[in-house]
Amino acid sequence: MFGFQAGKSTGDAIVAVLDEINRLRSQGLKTCLLSMDASCAFDLVSHQLILGSLSRLGIGNKMIKWTESFLRNCSLSVKINDKLSSSWTPDIGAGQGRRFSPDLYNVSTLTAILWCITIFSVGFADDGMDVISGQTIEECETKAQQVLEARKDWYDCAGLALNPEKTGYMGIGFDPKPLVLDGTIITASSSLKFLGITIQSNLSWDKTIDSLCNRIRFAASRIRTEGRFFDCWDRKKLYNGWILGPLHASALAFLPNLNSSQRHDLQVAMNAGVRAVANVPKYGYFNISDLRSRLNILSIEQITEKIILQAAWKRKGEFLEVNNSLSGPSTRSRANGNIPHPIQKGYLGKMISTSLRRGWNRLPVAIKH
């Protein structure tokens, strides 16, 4: 689970899915993705499931009784304009917007991990994705149907309502046959949207980059119009929020693996924002590199490197442990805190974890320690 946990984000969840796909494909396995959506999950989850999960985790009786009181001694009402409905006390749900609701919902989903122990699953609040693999396409399709049915059973036991129309299914590099859920046929698509990122069947980032470029250009036009009475540094604040904000959302999942054409398209779109901040015409020659330097705005290559190094530094405990466990003579590389480079052939070279291990070795010694 990645939702509502310190130090974990949607980007981490997406990276976990993509790295697992590449790891399985490096072993020659066929892979497919299955994403499922629960309607009103926070409002429908079973109280019995939450309390039972706390008990199995070894939580004390006093805390369980407090949680039961928190869940059940709560009155709700609906207000529309100045009209307030009568109140009622729900017997299900963790409650939307309540302080402990995210933690209690996370507890309720622990049993979902045990329901399908043969597959790799990533969850973020009520959004989840399963990575399913098999030696052949037929085996992969059979497992996908089994996982779908097992997930449906868990949703029923948890009191949640599974939405078949929002269930996504996609083969990586092949077109799997449709799945069937309660008479509803779920056809495989060529792309899936998960936590704001579009994952394509061919693992290309064309759709994500096209969407991001359009959003950046629109933001650049807003900076030019709405920031026309601002000074340069106030327009840069808009640039940071409206352009760098969307770019950095889950950036670690896709920036390290972009090809030269995608990087170029992204940089051209960002240059429109640089022109808007500097208040220079949309068209005509200007030294954009000089403008970026004067405004202290990073290029897409610099942003990519920064994101990789920051993510590598966050895993410093793991990498320092690897360095300390190395045997053999002491070398300059080991003294600098470096670790052996991972295998970078084929699909393993596309894993974000591979980029982070390489990035760790590029960090200065002072930052590592």
Side-chain angles (χ1 to χ4, degrees):
M1 291 298 296
F2 290 83
F4 311 112
Q5 296 195 50
K8 295 185 179 181
S9 65
T10 57
D12 296 322
I14 298 168
V15 166
V17 169
L18 296 174
D19 274 7
E20 180 66 8
I21 291 172
N22 285 311
R23 186 188 68 81
L24 293 171
R25 297 187 79 190
S26 70
Q27 300 174 3
L29 299 176
K30 301 297 181 182
T31 311
C32 64
L33 299 179
L34 181 64
S35 65
M36 309 184 76
D37 181 79
S39 301
C40 304
F42 278 75
D43 295 326
L44 295 178
V45 65
S46 166
H47 288 178
Q48 183 180 0
L49 177 61
I50 295 175
L51 298 172
S53 298
L54 287 173
S55 178
R56 292 299 297 270
L57 287 172
I59 303 301
N61 188 54
K62 186 175 182 179
M63 183 62 190
I64 291 178
K65 286 185 176 180
W66 183 92
T67 304
E68 183 176 10
S69 175
F70 173 83
L71 290 171
R72 295 177 177 172
N73 297 333
C74 173
S75 61
L76 303 177
S77 58
V78 176
K79 185 175 183 180
I80 301 178
N81 296 327
D82 58 344
K83 302 296 183 180
L84 185 66
S85 71
S86 57
S87 62
W88 74 95
T89 301
D91 55 359
I92 57 173
Q96 287 277 11
R98 303 178 71 189
R99 176 161 297 185
F100 294 101
S101 296
D103 301 296
L104 295 179
Y105 182 79
N106 276 353
V107 168
S108 73
T109 60
L110 292 176
T111 53
I113 301 174
L114 304 176
W115 220 263
C116 299
I117 59 176
T118 59
I119 51 101
F120 181 87
S121 179
V122 169
F124 195 99
D126 57 347
D127 293 315
M129 179 165 284
D130 297 318
V131 183
I132 305 163
S133 62
Q135 295 289 344
T136 64
I137 293 178
E138 291 73 18
E139 181 184 354
C140 195
E141 292 171 337
T142 301
K143 284 186 176 180
Q145 182 66 47
Q146 293 172 349
V147 170
L148 179 64
E149 293 172 357
R151 290 290 184 210
K152 176 62 168 57
D153 290 342
W154 180 83
Y155 273 77
D156 290 341
C157 291
L160 302 179
L162 178 62
N163 190 340
E165 295 181 357
K166 290 187 178 181
T167 298
Y169 178 45
M170 181 179 73
I172 304 297
F174 69 96
D175 294 323
K177 65 181 182 181
L179 302 177
V180 180
L181 177 64
D182 291 342
T184 301
I185 297 177
I186 301 172
T187 306
S189 60
S190 60
S191 63
L192 287 179
K193 196 157 188 179
F194 180 57
L195 301 177
I197 287 290
T198 301
I199 303 176
Q200 296 178 230
S201 176
N202 59 2
L203 296 185
S204 171
W205 293 107
D206 293 335
K207 290 186 177 181
T208 296
I209 297 304
D210 288 345
S211 174
L212 187 56
C213 286
N214 291 335
R215 187 171 180 179
I216 289 174
R217 290 192 179 93
F218 177 72
S221 67
R222 288 187 64 193
I223 294 173
R224 192 174 291 278
T225 55
E226 298 181 29
R228 62 186 182 277
F229 298 122
F230 295 171
D231 61 23
C232 179
W233 301 112
D234 283 336
R235 289 195 296 270
K236 184 180 175 182
K237 292 179 181 178
L238 298 180
Y239 178 93
N240 291 338
W242 293 348
I243 293 181
L244 292 187
L247 175 66
H248 279 75
S250 306
L252 184 62
F254 64 90
L255 281 186
N257 289 325
L258 297 184
N259 58 41
S260 57
S261 176
Q262 292 166 338
R263 290 179 185 274
H264 175 266
D265 292 344
L266 200 52
Q267 185 63 71
V268 170
M270 293 178 66
N271 288 346
V274 175
R275 286 173 176 262
V277 172
N279 198 26
V280 299
K282 294 181 182 179
Y283 307 105
Y285 174 77
F286 287 91
N287 191 330
I288 301 297
S289 297
D290 181 59
L291 286 178
R292 284 201 303 264
S293 178
R294 285 161 49 191
L295 295 169
N296 195 24
I297 293 177
L298 301 181
S299 66
I300 193 63
E301 288 80 7
Q302 293 170 324
I303 291 174
T304 302
E305 178 71 355
K306 178 181 177 181
I307 287 173
I308 291 174
L309 297 186
Q310 284 180 333
W313 184 83
K314 289 180 180 179
R315 296 174 60 178
K316 61 183 181 295
E318 171 190 339
F319 294 144
L320 287 174
E321 183 178 351
V322 171
N323 176 268
N324 294 332
S325 66
L326 295 175
S327 59
S330 178
T331 62
R332 182 184 303 174
S333 178
R334 287 181 59 183
N336 289 335
N338 292 347
I339 59 177
H341 275 287
I343 298 174
Q344 301 172 44
K345 294 181 180 180
Y347 296 112
L348 294 178
K350 298 179 181 179
M351 295 177 64
I352 300 302
S353 58
T354 299
S355 298
L356 298 189
R357 291 174 71 94
R358 295 171 56 200
W360 171 259
N361 290 342
R362 295 196 298 271
L363 281 172
V365 179
I367 292 181
K368 290 178 183 177
H369 296 285

